[in-house]
Amino acid sequence: MTTLETPRGTTAPAALDLDWLISVDDHILEPPNLWIDRVAAKDRDRAPHMETDANGREMWVYDGKRLPTSGLSAVAGKSKEEFSPEPLPYSEMRPGCYDAKARVEDMDRAGILASLCFPTLPRFCGQLFMEASDREFGLVCLKAYNDWLIEDWCGSAPGRYIPLVLIPLWDPKLAAAELERCAGLGATTFAFSENPAPLGLPTIHDKDRYWDPVMAAANELNMVVSMHVGSSSQVPKIAPDAPFMANLTWGAMRTSGTMLSWLFSDMFQRYPNVKIALSEGEIGWMPYYLERAEQVLDKQRHWVKKGARFQDHAGGGSADLDTLDIRKSFREHVFGCFIDDEHGIASIDAIGEDNIMCETDYPHSDSTWPDCIGVVRRRIAHLPEQTQYKLLRGNAERLYRFTPAQPPARPHA
């Protein structure tokens, strides 16, 4: 098939297939046998495993914790009126929530050619294992998850899943080693926290350079830093008594703080190959914050450069303000993701068509399944076909260095 040249050295098929998308944010409900099948027999009782309590409720058990599965994490196939946060047994979940082959069937139905999946039990960046009383065994469990994800989940359907691996956040050198190991197995991205501070970890601005081994490895291996909203283990609150729905609406905006933190840090200047993907934060806010960041840089950098202190600002890990180009840094390093964002698409000229990817959030309550391709196509139908292709799949393929399988012979419903 002949190809067309597209910006930044990528190519797209001459006959653009706009009937399929790549989702860079979906979720796995880990199958109950994941860890007990992969740890030593003597460790099965202390690895994450499923038990049923006296009331007949299924619970994950690990490190003295009993953890039910929220019903909002597995709503695929349910109507909005049926959504509930109450614990949900696996028998009442759609098989695509936890079974990779069943998931592919649901992907075919919704026009999802490939999917990048965040974990559920370990939480979005593996916080469960960091919080464990025995971190040495936590590392065993974390590696077991990564191996399962690459070998079993992604291996079950080559070209349909982008492997997203976890790192031991509590030890950057071990994390760098795990990145190298997983890169050798084909992984091109890892989960990281949108804000490590609430986890009790140093931030990316740490004066002692806590994260340098991780970012140096990511830079060398071209591993994308994937950050899901909520990976700081915080529930955002506008005020202590603000309505829950107000907090839920506002919560995605914390992603803007992540973007600004990285743009004004020295990470991109020190590690020029590092790229970040901001999952489930939408994109409509990006033009404003980019504009505001440029205003702040222009008007405030002179007194900041002089070392003046304002309140508790310590000035650690900051970018070189004389050479920082907000727009250039954004274009080269930051990728936003959207589920259904009318204002974001209307601002595509300000954001840039090369920096946007789509997501479906299957099987969570924000998901557009089973009409995923329809929702996105309706939002972007007015754009040139080459631009549509980038948003649907081209940008994801380029960022994650991913070659998807050929779409199924029979089109999705």
Side-chain angles (χ1 to χ4, degrees):
M1 179 181 291
T2 59
T3 59
L4 299 173
E5 287 297 324
T6 59
R8 298 164 77 166
T10 61
T11 58
L16 297 176
D17 184 350
L18 303 179
D19 289 329
W20 298 88
L21 62 83
I22 292 179
S23 172
V24 298
D25 170 35
D26 294 316
H27 300 269
I28 297 169
L29 278 295
E30 294 80 15
N33 64 324
L34 190 162
W35 283 277
I36 59 176
D37 283 355
R38 286 187 169 268
V39 301
K42 64 181 179 62
D43 292 323
R44 288 173 183 165
D45 287 343
R46 63 185 186 127
H49 63 279
M50 191 71 70
E51 294 183 4
T52 303
D53 67 14
N55 297 315
R57 295 180 304 176
E58 292 178 351
M59 294 276 187
W60 280 102
V61 178
Y62 173 65
D63 198 46
K65 299 176 181 178
R66 303 182 69 83
L67 305 164
T69 297
S70 168
L72 294 177
S73 297
V75 304
K78 300 181 184 296
S79 68
K80 288 179 283 189
E81 292 76 16
E82 295 175 296
F83 290 3
S84 170
E86 293 300 313
L88 187 70
Y90 276 65
S91 61
E92 295 181 18
M93 294 180 191
R94 189 175 183 85
C97 294
Y98 54 85
D99 182 274
K101 292 184 178 179
R103 173 73 64 92
V104 167
E105 295 177 6
D106 284 352
M107 290 163 60
D108 290 350
R109 176 179 174 184
I112 304 169
L113 182 58
S115 171
L116 182 153
C117 299
F118 284 84
T120 298
L121 180 68
R123 308 213 298 278
F124 294 142
C125 62
Q127 300 100 302
L128 180 71
F129 302 125
M130 186 193 74
E131 296 166 354
S133 58
D134 184 345
R135 285 180 171 174
E136 184 176 351
F137 185 61
L139 180 61
V140 171
C141 295
L142 182 148
K143 287 184 174 181
Y145 174 86
N146 287 342
D147 289 342
W148 171 84
L149 180 84
I150 294 169
E151 296 170 5
D152 291 8
W153 185 267
C154 299
S156 70
R160 302 302 300 270
Y161 295 112
I162 301 171
L164 172 78
V165 298
L166 302 177
I167 60 171
L169 298 164
W170 63 92
D171 189 322
K173 291 183 179 179
L174 285 177
E178 182 63 3
L179 283 182
E180 186 172 358
R181 186 183 77 88
C182 291
L185 298 173
T188 58
T189 182
F190 67 100
F192 192 68
S193 176
E194 63 190 350
N195 180 6
L199 304 181
L201 293 169
T203 73
I204 59 171
H205 313 290
D206 178 47
K207 62 181 178 60
D208 295 323
R209 303 291 183 185
Y210 178 86
W211 294 109
D212 271 13
V214 174
M215 298 308 160
N219 187 70
E220 178 68 22
L221 300 166
N222 287 306
M223 294 280 275
V224 179
V225 184
S226 293
M227 292 176 280
H228 194 285
V229 67
S231 55
S232 57
S233 295
Q234 282 189 317
V235 177
K237 291 184 179 180
I238 299 169
D241 56 352
F244 173 76
M245 295 295 279
N247 289 330
L248 194 60
T249 303
W250 179 69
M253 285 294 291
R254 78 186 99 169
T255 309
S256 62
T258 302
M259 183 186 79
L260 292 171
S261 184
W262 278 79
L263 286 176
F264 279 104
S265 78
D266 59 4
M267 284 295 180
F268 297 144
Q269 292 177 336
R270 298 178 67 235
Y271 301 112
N273 294 330
V274 166
K275 295 175 173 58
I276 66 173
L278 305 173
S279 294
E280 207 170 327
E282 301 294 347
I283 59 174
W285 48 265
M286 283 182 165
Y288 166 75
Y289 280 107
L290 289 171
E291 178 182 342
R292 178 59 180 154
E294 289 183 315
Q295 294 169 351
V296 168
L297 180 64
D298 176 56
K299 295 181 179 180
Q300 313 296 340
R301 73 176 186 272
H302 301 290
W303 65 264
V304 173
K305 281 164 45 185
K306 294 174 184 176
R309 294 283 295 273
F310 183 71
Q311 295 182 353
D312 61 351
H313 170 68
S318 297
D320 180 342
L321 300 182
D322 285 329
T323 61
L324 176 60
D325 183 327
I326 293 292
R327 299 282 174 168
K328 182 174 185 290
S329 188
F330 175 84
R331 288 195 305 270
E332 294 180 353
H333 299 281
V334 182
F335 291 77
C337 315
F338 76 99
I339 300 174
D340 185 12
D341 190 337
E342 179 181 359
H343 294 285
I345 297 303
S347 301
I348 192 170
D349 289 342
I351 300 171
E353 63 183 36
D354 293 322
N355 296 78
I356 300 172
M357 303 179 291
C358 56
E359 54 189 16
T360 74
D361 200 32
Y362 180 105
H364 284 192
S365 56
D366 266 342
S367 181
T368 52
W369 192 87
D371 189 29
C372 302
I373 189 65
V375 169
V376 178
R377 287 294 308 277
R378 288 190 289 273
R379 286 289 181 222
I380 67 175
H382 62 287
L383 299 173
E385 286 194 351
Q386 287 191 1
T387 302
Q388 292 186 48
Y389 187 87
K390 289 182 182 181
L391 272 55
L392 288 170
R393 53 182 284 193
N395 290 339
E397 292 175 19
R398 171 173 55 87
L399 177 64
Y400 297 105
R401 295 177 285 129
F402 179 75
T403 301
Q406 288 296 313
R410 293 186 62 186
H412 50 82

